[in-house]
Amino acid sequence: MGKQVWKAGNMLYPLPAVMVSVRGKDGTDNIITVAWAGTVCTNPPMVSISVRPERFSYQMLKERGEFVINLSTEKLCYAVDYCGVKSGRDVDKFEKLGLTKTEASQVCAPMIDEAPVNIECKVEQILELGSHHMFVARVLAVHAEETCMDEKGRFDLNLARPMVYSHGEYYGLGKKLGTFGYSVKKKKSKNRICTSNFIKK
């Protein structure tokens, strides 16, 4: 089976399509959809988002230095797309989409209450890389929806039916294929012998 060779480009798909909420210094709130978001570090917890300087939210991000990453779900797909193609210069996205604002606990930015997870972030570094500038930020707090807790009290994002973005299309995540480390996990033997049956009396 052959493969075509293409010119250099971004082919790292699928991606999490998240809604990033920001607040300008004048008090204006906005939502921008970002597909180029990622984990940077575990300790301290850090994330990144990459945004074009011409986007309406860019100046808010740069001036305020704070934002909230709101994870998306299948139910939020329309809002995710709308916030990616409509500019906050022209419309109040919270009002238009009927999304509920909740004040963040650590940063000056609104959270989207309908999102199952809200991640409060404080910008620590801006990397001007080219077409996009990367905002590297420290996570200050995480809010998780209680209905996404499983029977053991652990958070299970699958209960919220998360979605991803790939080559201009949105997809709901399918069935679980495995858990971290399952490829090397030792299988329990079905023929375990109880040694106590062989203890001499």
Side-chain angles (χ1 to χ4, degrees):
M1 183 181 295
K3 290 184 179 178
Q4 298 179 5
V5 179
W6 298 346
K7 66 178 182 179
N10 293 306
M11 288 296 294
L12 187 60
Y13 289 103
L15 298 166
V18 299
M19 292 186 288
V20 175
S21 46
V22 295
R23 175 170 293 155
K25 286 198 170 180
D26 63 354
T28 300
D29 293 332
N30 192 43
I31 307 168
I32 178 175
T33 296
V34 175
W36 293 359
T39 299
V40 175
C41 185
T42 300
N43 189 20
M46 300 185 73
V47 295
S48 71
I49 59 171
S50 293
V51 180
R52 290 180 179 271
E54 58 266 29
R55 297 294 294 270
F56 179 63
S57 293
Y58 176 86
Q59 204 58 37
M60 297 181 184
L61 287 163
K62 195 168 185 180
E63 290 177 353
R64 181 75 72 175
E66 298 175 340
F67 60 90
V68 177
I69 294 176
N70 305 275
L71 299 194
S72 57
T73 65
E74 292 179 12
K75 285 185 178 180
L76 289 170
C77 187
Y78 181 90
V80 169
D81 186 67
Y82 188 91
C83 291
V85 297
K86 284 290 187 178
S87 174
R89 296 183 182 93
D90 307 318
V91 63
D92 181 333
K93 299 178 188 178
F94 275 99
E95 182 179 352
K96 178 69 177 179
L97 295 167
L99 296 173
T100 308
K101 289 184 190 180
T102 303
E103 290 300 313
S105 63
Q106 303 294 320
V107 302
C108 187
M111 302 188 302
I112 300 173
D113 196 50
E114 288 77 9
V117 176
N118 316 97
I119 306 169
E120 299 187 45
C121 306
K122 178 80 172 177
V123 177
E124 295 206 344
Q125 189 177 6
I126 302 174
L127 303 176
E128 299 184 4
L129 303 173
S131 64
H132 289 69
H133 293 181
M134 178 183 285
F135 293 80
V136 180
R138 183 186 292 255
V139 175
L140 300 184
V142 177
H143 304 255
E145 176 59 51
E146 291 182 346
T147 59
C148 291
M149 303 298 176
D150 65 16
E151 64 278 0
K152 294 183 179 179
R154 296 176 299 193
F155 184 74
D156 184 358
L157 184 59
N158 290 327
L159 295 175
R161 301 185 67 86
M163 55 164 279
V164 294
Y165 174 82
S166 182
H167 297 281
E169 298 177 321
Y170 305 102
Y171 294 92
L173 295 181
K175 65 179 181 180
K176 181 169 66 175
L177 302 179
T179 57
F180 180 76
Y182 85 100
S183 63
V184 295
K185 187 177 181 180
K186 292 182 179 179
K187 295 181 179 179
K188 292 182 179 179
S189 174
K190 293 182 179 179
N191 299 318
R192 286 186 66 182
I193 300 175
C194 181
T195 55
S196 61
N197 292 336
F198 297 90
I199 297 177
K200 292 183 179 180
K201 294 181 180 179

